[in-house]
Amino acid sequence: MKQSMVLLIVLLLCFSLVLPAAAASAPAVSVTYESSSGQVKVTGSLGNAPGSIVTVQVRNPNDVLDYLDQGTVDASGHYSFVYTLKQRVNGNYIVKVSGENVLTVSSAMFYVSPMQAPSVTATFDYGTRSVLISGSEGTTEGNPIHVELLNPYQVVEYSDQSLTGAKGAYNFKYTISQLTNGTYTIRAWGQDSGLSQTATFTVSIGSSPRRPSSSGAATVLEIPQTPQNPVSSSEGGLKITLDTQLDPLTGVASAQLEDALYKSVLEQAQAAGLRTVTIELGKAEETLCYELLVPAAYFMIKPNVELLIVTELGTLQIPSHMLSNISLNAAKQMGIRIGKADAGSLPVSVQNNVGERPVVQMEVRVDGQIITFNNPEASVTVGVPYQAANEELQNAEHLTVWYINSQGKAEAVPTGKYNASPENVTFSTTHFSSFAIAYVFKSFEDLESVPWAKKSIEVMASKGVITGVSDREFDPTTKVTRADFMLLLTKAMGFNAAVQTNFSDVAASDYYYHAVGVAKALGLAEGRDDGKFHPEEPISRQDMMVLISRAWKKARKAPIGGTEDDLNTFADQSEVSSYAVNDVAAMVKAGVVEGSGSTLNPLANTTRAEAAVLLHRIYYSL
């Protein structure tokens, strides 16, 4: 079956340049993979005359050519190729088959799974606070390897991924910024996260260094118990009620979470596997601001427990890694404030939209001094009590939130939503400042051609998620590029992250650089087989559905189910690419995607109107 490589290359070039007079349909292709032997068999039919030439190529998950061959079909038009993998790189292999007088190239895919979990060892150096993580995955180069480091409170402090080097070896190095007594755990896995191995080491500050441990036994902190404390259990959660003291000069009502009580509650929460502890501050008459004073240790050890601070002026749900980008080594006490802001100091144009609605301000203080909280990797959820007027309830989706920047200019906060029960407006933010509730109704003059999308466009434009091409026109039928959709998706979901790297075809000067980088950091965008993102290309409907499905999983922190059977009602289900089937099915099953009658049109380009509708649906489904 094999012919000389020179003849093969010449034939391939000829087929790519010469247009045949009569072309057959796309080749049929089927692939079977035997994991025990590594043997791959590619079979199918060409539909051409006996002796017609057929070419097959196989590329591994790193987009490296693993196999290339050429042959002819038999008397019945069938072909067969058999080969053994050169090396087993974990992931999806792509098979492409082309034929003589055939215009279309057919594709198929097979998955090579890891045979076993990777090995992992960890070496900790007290002097430099560095951790060296090493091991191997299989015996071949180029396999994906993932590692994460969990601190003694089982919070992920570091994670990274790469490809294995020679003979399957890998190495990672990380420096711990703030040490915590106890056992750190390193987890390593390859393509299959279900096949993982762990290693541990124990940190004991103030005593002689210990050698890395492989037992996995965690150090138990001795936390003093208070004989009486204001802690109660409610619906499986822990709630602390603290009295406040009002300072008549500043108008600030403060409550302090004492160190002993904090440690006791933290221990109870972790023992019960709770993620949130509620701290309710007692009401103070005529107060302008509430402040919770918390031991700085909460932000330094970063336990996997969030604090929900409840006051009459609003609520703050803060993660323990909120200040992870700030050095707190010398800090003793943190103050978290939420209070009323002076609406009269806002520009007149802003005041007109805000009216009598609340304007709140949040601050973080370290030992009494204001510091800047601005951490793209830590989101704080804010709730502001608000009872909507009757006319507002008719279009409650247009109640939104504005961020008031240092120049007094208002910027839309896309995550702002009104909730009827309880009556409040919620939003998430990665920085503290002044925020106002506003009522915004944005529309465009060219929406009559898309009545099915009019409401979604108006709501998402009012939220600041999407914008028109001008103040009067939206241009609903224009195609959306891959970069622009990523910009819309990250806005709608309120996603943010520190952008360390980006795709090679996304420049730092591009307006979508941060959005695409955030999507890459969060694992939403993986790029094409060539490792590029292709930002300026129109995005297909199926790729839009895949990205929305991934965003849904990320926001809900839970998987969603969907199989090929969920697409049976659509006449064009066979057009959905294999990599997109499960995600498209999941969105159909969840009711986010409905299709157009009996078709999904997965390969069609997405319009601005279609993008607005799907973003609106997922925005209000979370």
Side-chain angles (χ1 to χ4, degrees):
M1 178 175 288
K2 293 187 178 179
Q3 301 178 12
S4 72
M5 186 57 66
V6 174
L7 176 60
L8 176 56
I9 294 174
V10 171
L11 289 172
L12 287 173
L13 291 173
C14 291
F15 291 151
S16 65
L17 296 175
V18 179
L19 182 67
S25 59
V29 56
S30 176
V31 181
T32 57
Y33 167 65
E34 175 56 53
S35 60
S36 60
S37 63
Q39 187 181 81
V40 180
K41 186 174 184 180
V42 183
T43 60
S45 61
L46 191 60
N48 277 2
S52 296
I53 298 174
V54 59
T55 305
V56 61
Q57 64 169 299
V58 182
R59 306 189 77 85
N60 73 18
N62 297 327
D63 199 30
V64 175
L65 186 66
D66 196 69
Y67 176 72
L68 176 66
D69 202 358
Q70 200 170 65
T72 57
V73 298
D74 60 19
S76 60
H78 291 83
Y79 63 86
S80 178
F81 296 83
V82 178
Y83 89 102
T84 301
L85 292 179
K86 293 180 180 177
Q87 61 175 4
R88 301 192 187 196
V89 178
N90 299 336
N92 291 318
Y93 281 67
I94 304 298
V95 180
K96 293 185 178 181
V97 178
S98 58
E100 183 179 2
N101 293 337
V102 177
L103 295 179
T104 305
V105 176
S106 292
S107 298
M109 182 173 63
F110 64 93
Y111 177 72
V112 175
S113 61
M115 301 298 289
Q116 60 185 12
S119 65
V120 57
T121 60
T123 304
F124 174 65
D125 186 294
Y126 270 84
T128 61
R129 302 195 311 277
S130 61
V131 184
L132 179 62
I133 305 169
S134 60
S136 64
E137 182 187 14
T139 58
T140 58
E141 182 178 352
N143 281 322
I145 182 72
H146 307 255
V147 297
E148 64 181 15
L149 171 68
L150 291 81
N151 67 20
Y153 290 91
Q154 293 302 294
V155 176
V156 177
E157 185 167 316
Y158 164 76
S159 64
D160 202 353
Q161 61 184 20
S162 183
L163 298 176
T164 57
K167 298 182 179 180
Y170 67 87
N171 288 280
F172 296 89
K173 188 175 183 179
Y174 172 68
T175 300
I176 302 175
S177 58
Q178 295 172 334
L179 292 178
T180 302
N181 281 345
T183 299
Y184 286 75
T185 303
I186 294 92
R187 176 172 171 257
W189 68 96
Q191 185 74 26
D192 186 352
S193 60
L195 289 174
S196 65
Q197 281 283 16
T198 60
T200 63
F201 63 91
T202 301
V203 171
S204 181
I205 303 173
S207 62
S208 58
R210 303 178 188 175
R211 294 183 178 275
S213 166
S214 59
S215 64
T219 300
V220 179
L221 298 178
E222 294 184 2
I223 301 177
Q225 300 289 330
T226 55
Q228 293 181 342
N229 61 52
V231 181
S232 61
S233 298
S234 176
E235 298 181 0
L238 286 177
K239 178 181 178 182
I240 306 172
T241 304
L242 299 177
D243 293 332
T244 57
Q245 291 186 341
L246 178 64
D247 184 336
L249 296 179
T250 62
V252 177
S254 298
Q256 185 163 344
L257 183 61
E258 298 288 351
D259 189 67
L261 176 59
Y262 152 73
K263 291 180 178 178
S264 173
V265 171
L266 183 61
E267 182 187 55
Q268 294 177 56
Q270 292 175 327
L274 301 178
R275 294 293 303 274
T276 304
V277 172
T278 301
I279 304 176
E280 184 174 323
L281 305 191
K283 183 178 179 180
E285 298 295 335
E286 300 181 0
T287 186
L288 299 176
C289 176
Y290 284 93
E291 178 180 40
L292 175 66
L293 299 172
V294 184
Y298 169 74
F299 296 98
M300 295 171 70
I301 64 174
K302 297 185 283 292
N304 196 21
V305 177
E306 295 186 340
L307 300 182
L308 175 60
I309 305 170
V310 179
T311 77
E312 64 170 327
L313 299 181
T315 62
L316 297 171
Q317 185 157 353
I318 61 174
S320 58
H321 66 286
M322 171 180 170
L323 303 177
S324 59
N325 60 343
I326 298 175
S327 176
L328 300 173
N329 289 330
K332 295 180 180 179
Q333 189 176 70
M334 312 297 298
I336 311 295
R337 291 188 175 189
I338 180 169
K340 298 178 182 179
D342 181 12
S345 63
L346 302 177
V348 174
S349 59
V350 177
Q351 291 187 45
N352 291 338
N353 280 88
V354 173
E356 298 299 320
R357 302 178 187 91
V359 182
V360 297
Q361 184 172 7
M362 285 91 73
E363 287 180 355
V364 178
R365 297 186 173 226
V366 177
D367 295 328
Q369 300 298 313
I370 297 176
I371 65 169
T372 300
F373 160 54
N374 191 339
N375 187 351
E377 296 187 326
S379 180
V380 175
T381 302
V382 184
V384 181
Y386 182 68
Q387 186 174 13
N390 290 333
E391 58 270 21
E392 291 175 337
L393 290 174
Q394 301 301 315
N395 292 285
E397 287 180 310
H398 290 270
L399 279 168
T400 188
V401 174
W402 281 352
Y403 153 58
I404 313 301
N405 65 24
S406 57
Q407 288 76 42
K409 182 180 178 182
E411 301 177 11
V413 179
T415 54
K417 299 178 186 177
Y418 173 75
N419 305 288
S421 179
E423 291 182 312
N424 69 354
V425 173
T426 59
F427 62 97
S428 59
T429 178
T430 58
H431 61 89
F432 276 179
S433 180
S434 295
F435 297 85
I437 297 175
Y439 184 78
V440 183
F441 199 103
K442 180 66 177 175
S443 191
F444 304 93
E445 297 177 358
D446 58 349
L447 301 183
E448 298 307 317
S449 62
V450 287
W452 49 272
K454 186 172 185 292
K455 178 181 178 181
S456 295
I457 293 171
E458 290 173 340
V459 170
M460 300 312 282
S462 300
K463 298 288 186 187
V465 174
I466 58 178
T467 59
V469 296
S470 70
D471 287 340
R472 301 173 63 181
E473 295 183 336
F474 182 73
D475 198 10
T477 58
T478 292
K479 297 178 178 63
V480 180
T481 65
R482 289 167 57 81
D484 282 345
F485 184 76
M486 197 60 74
L487 189 64
L488 298 175
L489 182 62
T490 53
K491 273 188 179 181
M493 305 303 292
F495 287 152
N496 209 338
V499 178
Q500 306 291 346
T501 61
N502 216 321
F503 296 99
S504 60
D505 57 346
V506 178
S509 58
D510 293 330
Y511 67 89
Y512 47 75
Y513 177 86
H514 184 72
V516 175
V518 167
K520 185 176 187 291
L522 297 179
L524 302 180
E526 299 174 350
R528 298 273 183 81
D529 291 342
D530 58 4
K532 297 181 179 180
F533 185 69
H534 300 272
E536 302 298 336
E537 287 186 9
I539 190 168
S540 66
R541 284 172 51 84
Q542 70 176 3
D543 281 355
M544 174 182 64
M545 297 174 201
V546 168
L547 290 171
I548 287 180
S549 174
R550 291 175 181 172
W552 175 298
K553 295 174 187 176
K554 188 72 178 177
R556 287 184 173 235
K557 296 181 175 62
I560 49 177
T563 66
E564 192 172 1
D565 292 340
D566 295 310
L567 305 180
N568 287 339
T569 58
F570 298 101
D572 56 352
Q573 67 163 327
S574 61
E575 296 180 14
V576 180
S577 300
S578 57
Y579 71 86
V581 167
N582 290 339
D583 285 313
V584 172
M587 291 294 90
V588 169
K589 188 175 182 179
V592 176
V593 174
E594 297 176 352
S596 177
S598 62
T599 59
L600 274 171
N601 299 317
L603 303 181
N605 293 324
T606 302
T607 66
R608 284 167 55 82
E610 291 171 334
V613 169
L614 263 67
L615 288 171
H616 183 217
R617 287 176 184 167
I618 192 172
Y619 181 90
Y620 276 99
S621 68
L622 298 174

